[in-house]
Amino acid sequence: PIDASIDANTYQLIEEKYGYGFVISELEEQIKNAKYGEKLSVSFTKIAPEITLESLTETMFHDVLGTFTARYKSEADRNVNLRLACEAINGTILYPNDVFSYNDALGERTPERGYKLGPSYAGNSTVYTYGGGICQVSTALYYCTLVADLEIITRDNHGFLPSYANYGMDAVVSWGAID
């Protein structure tokens, strides 16, 4: 049998293969008791691999490398933006040497894509922009990346301290400007 595995170059899953074999002690017993010229029969059985694709995928991604919890004032439109941002990054798999872009993962925040007007910082004031509030998700992702000891390529913080993060632990994002 051949166990299911992950190709080290392409990172693609490779399905298991069943093997065939026989119980050698049973064959040895037949040989020991056989008469000269007697034909012996060997029964082959299907042998399951130790690691199947199902068992491999069940064990993948079970380690929690970081968590982040933040409280915020609930606002219906902002909640929509948070949900859309979370849905956009949920299930993302990064392979070695991949670089994650929050902006690429979410795309432009527009009303056509379901984003609502929400609070955003602009200079020294709060303004309402489509997708406002999604920095809370980028902040959560940044924090989890730090505690997971993954490499941070770039990160910028807000000009103000947001209520959902400690000083220096936030991650601002702005379509076309800051990722």
Side-chain angles (χ1 to χ4, degrees):
I2 299 173
D3 289 336
S5 61
I6 300 174
D7 184 285
N9 295 316
T10 65
Y11 304 107
Q12 298 298 312
L13 295 174
I14 301 169
E15 196 167 358
E16 74 276 2
K17 293 189 178 171
Y18 282 77
Y20 294 93
F22 57 90
V23 179
I24 194 152
S25 61
E26 290 177 8
L27 181 59
E28 288 173 337
E29 188 66 26
Q30 282 189 50
I31 292 170
K32 186 172 110 180
N33 297 327
K35 295 185 173 85
Y36 181 78
E38 182 181 352
K39 290 186 180 182
L40 302 179
S41 174
V42 178
S43 297
F44 281 86
T45 58
K46 194 173 185 180
I47 302 173
E50 289 183 29
I51 302 170
T52 64
L53 198 54
E54 182 180 349
S55 68
L56 181 63
T57 56
E58 284 176 359
T59 59
M60 292 173 67
F61 310 115
H62 281 269
D63 294 329
V64 176
L65 302 180
T67 62
F68 181 84
T69 303
R71 294 186 176 31
Y72 65 96
K73 183 178 176 184
S74 182
E75 184 180 311
D77 287 347
R78 186 174 186 276
N79 291 348
V80 169
N81 296 337
L82 292 174
R83 179 182 50 79
L84 290 172
C86 288
E87 287 173 356
I89 64 173
N90 188 40
T92 300
I93 297 172
L94 297 176
Y95 296 109
N97 300 316
D98 281 356
V99 175
F100 177 80
S101 163
Y102 191 67
N103 274 326
D104 287 350
L106 271 61
E108 187 172 3
R109 278 68 77 182
T110 64
E112 295 78 23
R113 300 189 66 234
Y115 286 95
K116 306 290 184 188
L117 288 172
S120 300
Y121 293 139
N124 293 328
S125 58
T126 300
V127 297
Y128 278 75
T129 62
Y130 286 102
I134 63 164
C135 290
Q136 184 168 349
V137 178
S138 62
T139 294
L141 187 60
Y142 171 65
Y143 180 83
C144 290
T145 302
L146 284 175
V147 298
D149 198 25
L150 299 173
E151 182 180 3
I152 307 291
I153 303 296
T154 184
R155 190 271 316 183
D156 290 291
N157 58 295
H158 292 87
F160 293 106
L161 177 62
S163 61
Y164 51 79
N166 292 329
Y167 182 77
M169 296 305 293
D170 63 308
V172 67
V173 64
S174 175
W175 178 256
I178 302 170
D179 197 357

